[in-house]
């Protein structure tokens, strides 16, 4: 079995001067041939598959406004739609479903869904935060529909995965962890967000400039025991490359080497607990070079390979001491 991927660039889902744009993938696209991974054909998600997470009324509303009111802004993030955005969002979700089924069926060892528009902010009843439908949540629900009993989503986009948390707030079959910058959009994701789901929903709010050293501690001391205790049969990763230190809209501190470390650690957890079943899903990241380098770390980790594109981009900022925060999270969620 090989590593597989889907590629859904949605070139017509674009809005003037918006950071979530097709050009995010311009540097990555020609590099994809370097990774010796299998490109899968994508079938768009059905309305029924979208409705595994989203209220059918939202699905109908998005379709209607894309047909009648595009282009336009639909929330304050700002989230935009164009005349093709509904079909683009169905195809993005389909890219994740395609990867999910390929891994579950044994057609691929593991997979990476490189899709846009992104998804992790989209809640069951609303599109928001540059996201229309919650691609990764839909993939996780499909995995459950295919017969798995427990799955997990780990989100290391710079922003809290509020939509994924909302989708699984009361679903005991899904573990959710989000490591994100505290105090930025969408303003959610404090460690006490979901007190009724201690140990199943874990939030890791981090201060500005938290980087490779902090994230390594988070991976070892929070990710690992969480996976050990929940024992998922498949792991999904919301991979946002906006936690890189020079992303234009955030102020975290990961480098490309830090992203590689994270990808290696979650792949190792999937090997240990899930028979290797893991699907990465692209979320944010608004510098095209960071997206290309970050996506490369995913492919290299999935293929048990050294870094194909050495970035040499260490964080120039001093990292904060997060020992007390990490211990606080461990105590709350343990």
């Amino acid at each position: 079995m090989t590593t597989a991927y889907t590629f859904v660039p949605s070139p017509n889902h674009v809005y003037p001067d918006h950071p979530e744009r097709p050009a995010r993938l311009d540097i990555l696209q020609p590099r994809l041939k370097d990774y010796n991974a299998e490109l899968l054909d994508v079938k768009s998600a059905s309305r029924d598959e979208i409705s595994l997470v989203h209220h059918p009324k939202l699905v109908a509303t998005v379709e209607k406004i894309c047909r009648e009111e595009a282009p336009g802004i639909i929330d304050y993030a700002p989230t935009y739609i164009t005349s093709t955005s509904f079909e683009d969002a169905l195809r993005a979700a389909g890219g994740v479903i395609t990867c999910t089924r390929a891994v579950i069926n044994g057609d691929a060892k593991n997979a990476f869904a490189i899709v846009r528009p992104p998804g992790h902010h989209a809640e069951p009843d609303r599109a928001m935060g540059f996201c229309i439908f919650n691609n990764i949540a839909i993939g996780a629900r499909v995995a459950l529909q295919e017969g798995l009993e427990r799955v997990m989503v780990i989100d290391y986009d710079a922003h809290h995965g509020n939509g994924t948390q909302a989708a699984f707030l009361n679903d005991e079959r899904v573990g959710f962890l989000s490591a994100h910058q505290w105090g930025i959009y969408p303003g959610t994701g404090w460690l006490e967000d979901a007190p009724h789901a201690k140990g199943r929903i874990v939030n890791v709010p981090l201060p500005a400039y938290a980087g490779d050293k902090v994230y390594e501690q988070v991976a070892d001391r929070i990710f690992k025991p969480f996976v050990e205790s929940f024992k998922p049969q498949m792991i999904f990763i919301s991979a946002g490359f906006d936690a890189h230190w020079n992303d234009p809209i955030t102020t975290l501190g990961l480098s490309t080497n830090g992203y590689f470390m994270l990808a290696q650690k979650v792949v190792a957890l999937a090997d240990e607990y899930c028979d290797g079943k893991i699907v990465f899903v692209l979320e944010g990241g608004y510098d095209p070079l960071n997206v290309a380098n970050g996506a490369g770390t995913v492919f290299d980790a999935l293929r048990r390979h050294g870094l194909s594109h050495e970035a040499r981009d260490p964080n120039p900022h001093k990292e904060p001491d997060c020992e007390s925060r990490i211990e606080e999270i461990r105590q709350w969620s343990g």
Side-chain angles (χ1 to χ4, degrees):
M1 288 190 294
T2 186
T3 292
Y5 73 101
T6 53
F7 187 66
V8 181
S10 301
N12 296 314
H13 180 72
V14 62
Y15 199 82
D17 302 318
H18 199 285
E20 204 296 285
R21 61 196 189 277
R24 294 173 59 215
L25 306 180
D26 282 356
I27 296 175
L28 171 60
Q29 186 167 7
R31 289 186 183 182
L32 291 172
K33 65 182 184 301
D34 299 343
Y35 297 114
N36 193 30
E38 180 186 357
L39 176 62
L40 302 175
D41 292 332
V42 174
K43 179 183 176 184
S44 293
S46 68
R47 286 163 179 77
D48 286 345
E49 287 168 335
I50 300 294
S51 296
L52 291 171
V53 168
H54 295 287
H55 195 288
K57 185 177 179 181
L58 173 68
V59 182
T61 299
V62 171
E63 183 174 20
K64 183 174 186 291
I65 62 173
C66 289
R67 186 172 63 244
E68 297 178 1
E69 300 176 31
I73 299 295
I74 58 173
D75 92 325
Y76 75 93
T79 306
Y80 68 87
I81 47 96
T82 70
S83 60
T84 68
S85 294
F86 180 70
E87 287 77 18
D88 293 334
L90 293 181
R91 191 163 172 79
V96 179
I97 293 169
T98 299
C99 286
T100 300
R101 290 198 169 120
V103 171
I104 289 174
N105 296 339
D107 298 325
K109 181 174 177 58
N110 45 48
F112 185 10
I114 303 167
V115 299
R116 57 175 299 276
H120 74 147
H121 291 308
E123 296 187 344
D125 60 354
R126 67 170 173 161
M128 61 180 285
F130 308 170
C131 303
I132 296 175
F133 299 134
N134 195 314
N135 307 314
I136 201 164
I138 294 163
R141 280 264 163 80
V142 166
L144 295 168
Q145 195 178 53
E146 296 282 322
L148 298 190
E149 295 175 356
R150 289 178 316 285
V151 300
M152 176 177 289
V153 178
I154 296 175
D155 185 328
Y156 52 73
D157 186 277
H159 303 87
H160 179 234
N162 62 292
T164 313
Q165 177 173 293
F168 300 128
L169 202 58
N170 298 304
D171 191 335
E172 298 288 339
R173 304 170 298 171
V174 184
F176 174 67
L177 184 151
S178 177
H180 49 270
Q181 184 176 347
W182 178 244
I184 62 172
Y185 184 92
T188 53
W190 188 245
L191 62 115
E192 299 171 357
D193 260 14
H196 72 290
K198 274 189 178 186
R200 185 177 65 78
I201 292 179
V202 178
N203 281 304
V204 185
L206 296 171
Y209 305 121
D212 297 0
K213 292 177 183 176
V214 170
Y215 274 86
E216 185 164 19
Q217 288 294 304
V218 168
D220 290 341
R221 296 170 60 192
I222 300 176
F223 288 14
K224 191 174 195 306
F226 183 40
V227 174
E228 286 174 346
S229 65
F230 191 75
K231 294 181 172 56
Q233 295 164 300
M234 187 169 184
I235 297 175
F236 293 82
I237 304 294
S238 272
F241 301 115
D242 47 1
H244 191 282
W245 63 265
N246 74 343
D247 187 87
I249 67 174
T250 64
T251 50
L252 280 170
L254 279 172
S255 69
T256 297
N257 281 335
Y259 270 113
F260 186 44
M261 172 273 298
L262 274 180
Q264 287 180 306
K265 285 183 180 292
V266 295
V267 167
L269 288 171
D271 285 346
E272 186 170 356
Y273 294 97
C274 310
D275 195 30
K277 291 183 176 64
I278 188 168
V279 173
F280 285 77
V281 179
L282 178 64
E283 299 287 0
Y286 303 99
D287 177 278
L289 182 59
N290 293 344
V291 172
N293 289 336
T297 70
V298 171
F299 280 114
D300 290 334
L302 289 172
R303 298 182 307 133
R304 282 66 170 178
H305 196 282
L307 274 179
S308 300
H309 293 272
E310 191 67 55
R312 297 186 181 88
D313 53 0
N315 176 10
H317 305 288
K318 179 177 170 54
E319 284 197 53
D321 181 353
C322 293
E323 176 63 32
S324 61
R325 173 59 52 79
I326 290 171
E327 195 53 40
E328 184 183 17
I329 294 161
R330 282 169 54 85
Q331 292 299 321
W332 170 260
S333 61

